[in-house]
């Protein structure tokens, strides 16, 4: 059974946390008259323990961020989309991510767009066959006409947990501590919105999003609109 990528980091981080805490807070020195060790912080041991604790904390943040990502090995279905028109350029989108309950969003525009963040590994993790990871990022509306895009209302909704640590921020803050992670990679796909349209969203093994119509009615609707 494959080990979840975040466990590769969280388990060593936990071990480092215990070692660092032991070095930083461990008791040492001579014993008192009752035979108990007197508490003494030796400067070198304290410094080493503090460095290990800092490494464990950064590793824990990275593991917590990777926990939201999913392994990407084949064409992976990641979401289903259905639309209900509410008014002119106004739609109610029901979006269901894989393994999650459906959510509804009110979106304005002519087209809907979904974006994902993809983690691609650098050497030597890439040579070791570590699969890419993905996390769905946001759902938004867009306009076919660039002029309308500049002047009309925009709607955008997060699909991931924005409270979790961000890998890009961690990599910028600790570039030498995260040598195998490349997060400067995103993918997006968009399709027309019309009443009753239904779509399936997929990610291929290289991290590219693509969309397929879900049903003949949507296929016919796309053909009528020149798609």
């Amino acid at each position: 059974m494959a080990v979840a990528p975040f466990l590769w980091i969280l388990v060593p981080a936990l071990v480092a946390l215990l070692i660092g805490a032991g070095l930083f807070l461990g008791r040492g020195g001579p014993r008192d008259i009752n035979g108990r060790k007197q508490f003494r912080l030796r400067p070198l041991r304290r410094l080493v323990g503090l460095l290990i604790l800092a490494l464990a904390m950064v590793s824990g943040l990275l593991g917590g961020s990777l926990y939201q990502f999913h392994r990407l090995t084949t064409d992976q279905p990641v979401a289903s989309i259905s639309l209900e028109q509410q008014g002119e350029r106004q739609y109610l989108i029901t979006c269901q991510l894989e393994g999650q309950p459906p959510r509804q969003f009110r979106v304005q525009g002519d087209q809907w767009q979904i974006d994902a963040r993809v983690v691609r590994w650098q050497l030597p993790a890439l040579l070791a066959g570590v699969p890419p990871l993905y996390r769905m990022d946001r759902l938004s509306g867009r306009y076919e006409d660039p002029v309308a895009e500049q002047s009309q209302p925009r709607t955008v909704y997060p699909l991931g947990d924005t409270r979790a640590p961000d890998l890009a921020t961690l990599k910028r803050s600790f570039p030498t501590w995260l040598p195998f992670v490349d997060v400067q990679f995103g993918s997006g796909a968009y399709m027309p919105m019309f009443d009753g349209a239904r779509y399936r969203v997929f990610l291929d093994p290289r991290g590219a999003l693509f969309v397929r119509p879900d049903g003949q009615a949507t296929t016919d609707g796309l053909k009528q609109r020149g798609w």
Side-chain angles (χ1 to χ4, degrees):
M1 180 181 294
V3 179
F6 69 91
L7 290 178
W8 305 336
I9 299 173
L10 287 182
V11 172
L14 180 59
V15 173
L17 181 65
L18 295 175
I19 295 174
L23 290 174
F24 186 74
L25 300 174
R27 295 179 180 274
R31 298 178 181 270
D32 60 19
I33 59 175
N34 296 318
R36 293 175 301 185
K37 284 188 176 182
Q38 297 178 5
F39 182 71
R40 178 180 296 175
L41 286 176
R42 295 177 179 175
L44 181 59
R45 185 183 65 190
R46 182 180 184 183
L47 177 60
V48 172
L50 189 61
L51 291 175
I52 295 177
L53 284 173
L55 177 61
M57 291 177 62
V58 174
S59 300
L61 287 174
L62 176 61
S65 184
L66 285 177
Y67 178 74
Q68 297 184 87
F69 286 78
H70 307 275
R71 289 163 53 89
L72 187 59
T73 55
T74 60
D75 285 352
Q76 180 77 30
V78 294
S80 59
I81 300 287
S82 60
L83 296 103
E84 179 182 341
Q85 188 164 9
Q86 303 284 292
E88 184 178 1
R89 287 181 164 176
Q90 297 180 1
Y91 293 85
L92 179 66
I93 291 183
T94 301
C95 174
Q96 183 170 12
L97 303 182
E98 287 294 310
Q100 298 185 21
R103 289 183 284 173
Q104 292 188 320
F105 307 94
R106 297 190 181 277
V107 176
Q108 293 185 257
D110 305 309
Q111 301 161 346
W112 61 273
Q113 178 169 327
I114 195 166
D115 299 280
R117 300 193 69 180
V118 180
V119 173
R120 297 292 297 273
W121 303 98
Q122 299 177 357
L123 297 175
L126 193 61
L127 290 177
V130 180
L133 308 176
Y134 76 92
R135 184 185 73 184
M136 303 311 295
D137 189 33
R138 63 175 63 186
L139 178 72
S140 60
R142 69 192 304 272
Y143 295 86
E144 188 172 9
D145 183 3
V147 176
E149 189 77 24
Q150 294 176 333
S151 58
Q152 296 298 316
R154 293 292 311 275
T155 46
V156 58
Y157 301 94
L159 294 177
D161 186 358
T162 57
R163 300 167 297 177
D166 183 79
L167 276 177
T169 302
L170 289 176
K171 186 173 176 64
R172 286 194 298 268
S173 302
F174 308 99
T176 60
W177 288 23
L178 307 175
F180 306 141
V181 178
D182 180 10
V183 296
Q184 308 305 316
F185 187 93
S187 182
Y190 62 89
M191 292 294 280
M193 292 194 290
F194 56 91
D195 190 42
R198 299 177 62 89
Y199 299 96
R200 294 290 306 278
V201 186
F202 297 83
L203 264 166
D204 71 17
R206 297 190 61 82
L209 276 171
F210 63 96
V211 182
R212 293 186 177 131
D214 187 9
Q216 189 61 42
T218 303
T219 301
D220 295 340
L222 290 173
K223 290 180 180 180
Q224 293 173 6
R225 291 163 175 79
W227 284 70

